[in-house]
Amino acid sequence: MGESAHADRPNGEGAHGALWTQGALWYTDALWTQDDEEVAPVAGPTTVEAMGAPCWLNLSARDLGTAERFYGAVLGWTFRRGALGDAYVVGERDGVPVAGIAAVAAEMQVPVAWTVFFAVDDADAAVARIRERGGTVGVGPVAFPPRGRAALATDPEGAAFGVWEGRLVSRWHVGERQAPAWLELHTRNAFDAAVFYGGVLRWADAVPGSCEVSYEDDRVVLRRGGEAVARLNSGPVESASPRPQLRPRWLVRFRVPDLEAAEASVLEHGGSVVPGGEWGGVREPDGGARRAVVRDPEGALFTLEGED
């Protein structure tokens, strides 16, 4: 089972909310499975230094072996286990952490899907801002002393995301050029979304180290240190669409050196290529890069982008 019409929405009520709470433990522990730092004193960069910026990607999967074989073949990742044992790995490209994969979807009854986390300096305050601005908090804040605190939420349109307060994974980054991954919000109105996320993540507060926002055509671009790290894009999305490309969501793009070879590898290792591109065929693709929307063998949706 992949992503249902509302599969990416955490629910804070009843048994389902409890399952999302358990799943959140895996999401946030993902931040510490790097080198052998989970047994070292807590030190290094924190979310205060990257306020409002994307800070981690995580996949909830059903079978870890299947995910490792697929993403290793398609994206060229190597994998390293950490403190969470056999159910969790960090995928790396050229020795740099790219994303975590947790085999929790079946046990915790959470969707097979990718989730992006954003850095905040105070998880309680961020959660309050999410609610004040019409978002829904499904989980948290959940404390993981002395590492930090996390929450899972959806924005007013239904796109799922997480917030993290605490220590950051060193060397992790996203961006438009050389970074291994890129993030983009598909929503009905990018400017309305920018008001929501800007308020929640304090993009407009001029906090030292925080992100800068620029408005370009019908898009909103998020930059940190002058480098673009995410984009908010207006388009024909509907929460109840049967096609996940047309639901409000944070899409994840992973870069590959050879797009055709990566697409062939997707099919060879049990995945599928989704017709219609990132906008389901109802809108022309953005930019000049060559891309393909694919699903992994368990249904998680993401985009491949050629590096050339």
Side-chain angles (χ1 to χ4, degrees), residues 69-265:
R69 287 188 294 273
F70 177 82
Y71 288 97
V74 174
L75 300 177
W77 290 357
T78 57
F79 299 93
R80 178 167 39 79
R81 283 171 171 77
L84 292 177
D86 292 338
Y88 186 82
V89 295
V90 169
E92 298 182 339
R93 178 174 173 178
D94 300 326
V96 176
V98 179
I101 301 175
V104 298
E107 179 182 358
M108 305 299 181
Q109 299 181 26
V110 296
V112 175
W114 285 97
T115 300
V116 56
F117 282 81
F118 291 88
V120 296
D121 57 356
D122 185 326
D124 284 321
V127 161
R129 292 193 295 268
I130 289 170
R131 292 190 173 115
E132 289 168 359
R133 288 161 174 79
T136 300
V137 178
V139 175
V142 180
F144 302 91
R147 297 164 178 172
R149 309 175 73 230
L152 292 169
T154 58
D155 68 20
E157 293 292 330
F161 66 101
V163 294
W164 172 255
E165 170 200 348
R167 189 180 166 203
L168 296 173
V169 175
S170 59
R171 297 180 296 157
W172 186 88
H173 67 294
V174 291
E176 280 193 304
R177 296 181 178 85
Q178 301 304 315
W182 169 252
L183 304 171
E184 187 164 304
L185 177 69
H186 282 190
T187 187
R188 280 189 289 185
N189 188 300
F191 303 107
D192 289 345
V195 171
F196 171 79
Y197 285 99
V200 168
L201 302 174
R202 300 179 62 193
W203 291 344
D205 287 4
V207 177
S210 65
C211 294
E212 310 91 40
V213 176
S214 62
Y215 298 87
E216 302 173 8
D217 298 323
D218 61 345
R219 303 173 182 87
V220 178
V221 180
L222 183 66
R223 289 183 170 83
R224 183 164 183 260
E227 180 181 1
V229 295
R231 183 181 294 114
L232 286 62
N233 204 342
S234 302
V237 298
E238 292 294 339
S239 298
S241 174
R243 290 183 290 177
Q245 306 106 295
L246 296 183
R247 299 175 208 147
R249 65 189 177 107
W250 279 98
L251 68 87
V252 180
R253 292 183 191 147
F254 293 114
R255 293 191 174 87
V256 292
D258 187 327
L259 182 60
E260 287 74 18
E263 288 183 86
S265 188

